[in-house]
Amino acid sequence: MKARVHEYVANLHVHTTFSDGTGSLAEVIAAARETLDVLLINDHDTLAGRENGYEGYHGRLLVLVGLELSGPHNHYLAFGLEECPDYAWRNPQGFIDSVRSKGGIGFIAHPFEKGSPLSEDGQAFTWTDWRVNGFDGLEIWNHSSTWKTKARNRPTGLLHYYLNSWTLAGPDQETLDKWDELGRTRRVAGVGGSDAHAFKGRAGPIKFCVFPYRHTFRSINTHLLLPEPLGGDLARDRTMVLRALAAGSCFVAHDRLRRSEGFSFRLEKDGLGRAGPGQEVILEKGDALVWRLPARAWVRVLKNGRMIWQDKAERGRVEVFSPGVYRLEAYWPLRFFGRRPWIYSNPIYLRASDGQ
């Protein structure tokens, strides 16, 4: 029998006036309550949101406060901490170990970001040291960074700002390749982030806001797949959400393109569920990957980063005969814009038995 999961829509990597965002945390929460179930704050190098009493339930919205350890490079999204650790951006292994030693979890943020001349003088906040270990996962899809890749000048910046719902690129291939590479030796969770700042500007007499919070909260979301429903107990629910993120019990989707609730991807044998996203099991004869989409779209099933199946379908099944890291990508078809990146599952890790 398939174990029931409970799906919740979360948005993480959000900045407020406690660092370099333009919205107060109260204003950000008000915007998030319109569409989200869980809001995860990552102001730069501070837990001020928690220290000022914002962590907890605001109506039905659960707000959790993490932080983004930052510098010229090596940004790290950390959650589950009670204080900001001492860190040096040139020593990423040191702060990864520090977060873990304090009971927190962490994700490498926008690891292969491409800078834009329209943002922070073209600075790209990349990850520079891949000898590190002990991190829980990668931010595979970042709304702000993805826009930067298209915003090469003012005309392209404006074009991809106003048509962002239809032209937003998917995760960059370097990040996906690294994710697939790392997954061959251990589980590495993939999450999506908005990197919301809602930067404000002025062009002559015209004031504008670059991607208001309400826009980004409808864009790149991380859908949590929890074993039990959220119940209103902050300590219990915080633990359950952070465990799901660290384990990769989630999927990433561009919800402004098309709502993705109801997507599922699992491993079955003889009609019985064996594993879901983020889980690792020994391959058995008769195993098959099974999925369902909210609507018919283009689907790619990948093994170790290489496509093994592709078709346009609402649901499907592929038998698997060899160990590997299996994940799914879905693309929503749009007239004039082609197949747009929509859903990225976390992998299911099928390992060989000792006798294979």
Side-chain angles (χ1 to χ4, degrees):
M1 177 179 291
K2 184 182 71 171
R4 184 183 177 190
V5 296
H6 302 267
E7 180 181 348
Y8 294 91
V9 183
N11 194 283
L12 56 85
H13 199 162
V14 177
H15 300 281
T16 76
T17 51
F18 284 126
S19 62
D20 58 346
T22 66
S24 69
L25 189 41
E27 292 170 332
V28 171
I29 289 170
R33 289 181 64 179
E34 297 178 10
T35 55
L36 301 176
D37 301 308
V38 182
L39 174 68
L40 296 110
I41 301 298
N42 290 96
D43 276 311
H44 290 280
D45 313 311
T46 180
L47 290 168
R50 185 178 188 195
E51 294 161 0
N52 282 272
Y54 285 100
E55 183 164 271
Y57 275 95
H58 298 256
R60 54 177 287 276
L61 176 73
L62 173 60
V63 176
L64 299 179
V65 179
L67 48 76
E68 181 177 7
L69 300 178
S70 58
H73 296 285
N74 300 330
H75 287 205
Y76 197 60
L77 305 178
F79 301 96
L81 301 176
E82 295 185 1
E83 60 182 8
C84 180
D86 293 330
Y87 73 97
W89 70 266
R90 289 185 176 87
N91 179 24
Q93 189 63 66
F95 61 69
I96 290 172
D97 293 342
S98 178
V99 169
R100 182 170 288 270
S101 71
K102 296 177 185 298
I105 66 170
F107 300 85
I108 292 175
H110 40 68
F112 295 98
E113 182 178 70
K114 309 296 188 298
S116 167
L118 302 182
S119 176
E120 295 169 292
D121 297 321
Q123 172 72 24
F125 300 98
T126 55
W127 191 267
T128 62
D129 185 355
W130 289 104
R131 298 169 299 175
V132 296
N133 56 64
F135 55 92
D136 293 283
L138 304 178
E139 184 185 41
I140 63 166
W141 203 356
N142 177 295
H143 180 273
S144 176
S145 297
T146 304
W147 173 75
K148 289 180 184 179
T149 65
K150 296 287 190 74
R152 309 318 305 165
N153 49 46
R154 287 187 180 181
T156 56
L158 288 170
L159 174 70
H160 294 291
Y161 175 79
Y162 286 107
L163 300 182
N164 187 256
S165 297
W166 304 286
T167 66
L168 188 70
D172 62 81
Q173 194 59 49
E174 289 173 290
T175 298
L176 293 177
D177 289 345
K178 178 59 70 173
W179 190 30
D180 292 325
E181 173 193 331
L182 293 168
R184 297 179 194 181
T185 56
R186 72 176 184 91
R187 291 185 293 167
V188 179
V191 299
S194 62
D195 210 348
H197 292 81
F199 288 128
K200 295 180 180 179
R202 178 190 292 269
I206 302 173
K207 296 180 180 180
F208 60 89
C209 179
V210 180
F211 298 123
Y213 293 104
R214 284 179 174 83
H215 177 101
T216 51
F217 293 163
R218 290 174 169 86
S219 189
I220 306 303
N221 288 320
T222 298
H223 290 242
L224 303 167
L225 305 173
L226 305 183
E228 299 177 12
L230 296 175
D233 182 294
L234 175 58
R236 168 190 174 273
D237 293 348
R238 181 201 296 121
T239 297
M240 191 159 47
V241 166
L242 298 187
R243 282 179 178 172
L245 287 172
S249 183
C250 54
F251 65 88
V252 181
H254 181 187
D255 285 327
R256 198 170 184 87
L257 183 64
R258 210 279 185 193
R259 298 295 292 183
S260 61
E261 287 93 336
F263 167 72
S264 67
F265 177 61
R266 64 188 184 276
L267 181 74
E268 288 187 356
K269 179 182 177 181
D270 300 326
L272 300 177
R274 290 231 302 130
Q279 295 182 326
E280 184 177 45
V281 295
I282 301 299
L283 176 68
E284 295 182 359
K285 185 177 180 180
D287 276 342
L289 297 167
V290 180
W291 68 89
R292 184 183 69 250
L293 294 170
R296 193 165 178 257
W298 285 98
V299 175
R300 288 161 35 105
V301 178
L302 297 95
K303 173 189 175 184
N304 298 335
R306 296 192 175 190
M307 186 179 68
I308 61 171
W309 188 93
Q310 177 178 241
D311 200 0
K312 189 176 184 180
E314 187 172 344
R315 59 184 64 205
R317 182 179 186 274
V318 170
E319 293 187 20
V320 288
F321 303 98
S322 59
V325 181
Y326 293 86
R327 59 181 182 84
L328 181 146
E329 300 174 355
Y331 296 80
W332 185 250
L334 283 179
R335 182 177 293 183
F336 306 121
F337 296 97
R339 303 175 189 177
R340 306 310 306 155
W342 180 27
I343 297 173
Y344 289 77
S345 80
N346 260 274
I348 296 174
Y349 304 85
L350 294 182
R351 307 303 191 189
S353 66
D354 293 337
Q356 288 182 293

